[in-house]
Amino acid sequence: MKKFATMITVASLALPLALAAPLAVTSALPTANAATTKTTAKKATTKTTPTTTKKTASKTTTATKGVTYTLAKNGVKNFKAVSYHIKANTNVYKGFFYADAAKVTFTKKGVLKGAVTYKVTRSVKVTTTGNKTKTFFYVTGQGYVAASAMTKGPYQQAD
């Protein structure tokens, strides 16, 4: 009997909300569509130069580009943090590992500053199209960096 009373109470509280929510959404749709069409019309009139559209188009295309590599056999190794440094600014990449294939895609994330010591915790060995191997190190908190750009040991400024 308690369950039945609870179900009736829940239904009586939820029924007005269930009926009111679709009515509120449908009544708000025409005003929302009208507001978006007005703003898009304003944006279209303000952007008259072709250079701004070219810049936005290039930003969207470069953000999605990446280089896909095949992982080498036993290519991913995790280890304790080791100090590495770079002498000049170098690119840092974001790695996307495929779940169903031995592949990884690296997309450029930014630039790492030179003359700083970084901690490396992972190495990824990949094969390129010419059956050459490349190694990438994972810099803690930053992303993946080509191993050829890094030098083992902490950075020490020359006197």
Side-chain angles (χ1 to χ4, degrees):
M1 191 67 183
K2 275 187 166 182
K3 288 182 184 177
F4 183 71
T6 305
M7 294 301 288
I8 295 293
T9 306
V10 169
S12 65
L13 293 174
L15 190 59
L17 292 175
L19 293 175
L23 295 175
V25 171
T26 54
S27 65
L29 281 179
T31 58
N33 287 339
T36 56
T37 54
K38 288 179 185 176
T39 56
T40 55
K42 287 180 184 177
K43 288 180 183 178
T45 57
T46 57
K47 290 185 181 180
T48 56
T49 58
T51 55
T52 56
T53 55
K54 287 181 183 176
K55 285 182 183 176
T56 56
S58 65
K59 284 182 184 176
T60 56
T61 56
T62 56
T64 57
K65 286 185 181 178
V67 180
T68 302
Y69 296 107
T70 303
L71 290 174
K73 188 173 183 178
N74 298 328
V76 179
K77 294 182 182 177
N78 294 321
F79 45 85
K80 287 185 180 179
V82 178
S83 296
Y84 278 83
H85 69 276
I86 56 176
K87 296 179 182 173
N89 292 352
T90 186
N91 293 334
V92 63
Y93 301 97
K94 180 179 177 182
F96 173 75
F97 290 88
Y98 289 68
D100 57 347
K103 292 184 179 183
V104 61
T105 300
F106 290 115
T107 56
K108 186 177 175 183
K109 183 177 175 183
V111 177
L112 224 60
K113 291 183 181 180
V116 178
T117 301
Y118 295 102
K119 296 292 184 179
V120 173
T121 58
R122 183 180 305 143
S123 70
V124 178
K125 192 176 281 189
V126 297
T127 55
T128 61
T129 55
N131 287 334
K132 295 182 180 181
T133 59
K134 275 187 168 182
T135 304
F136 289 90
F137 289 142
Y138 178 74
V139 176
T140 305
Q142 303 294 326
Y144 290 91
V145 177
S148 59
M150 300 193 80
T151 306
K152 192 168 186 174
Y155 175 76
Q156 296 175 352
Q157 188 171 2
D159 289 331

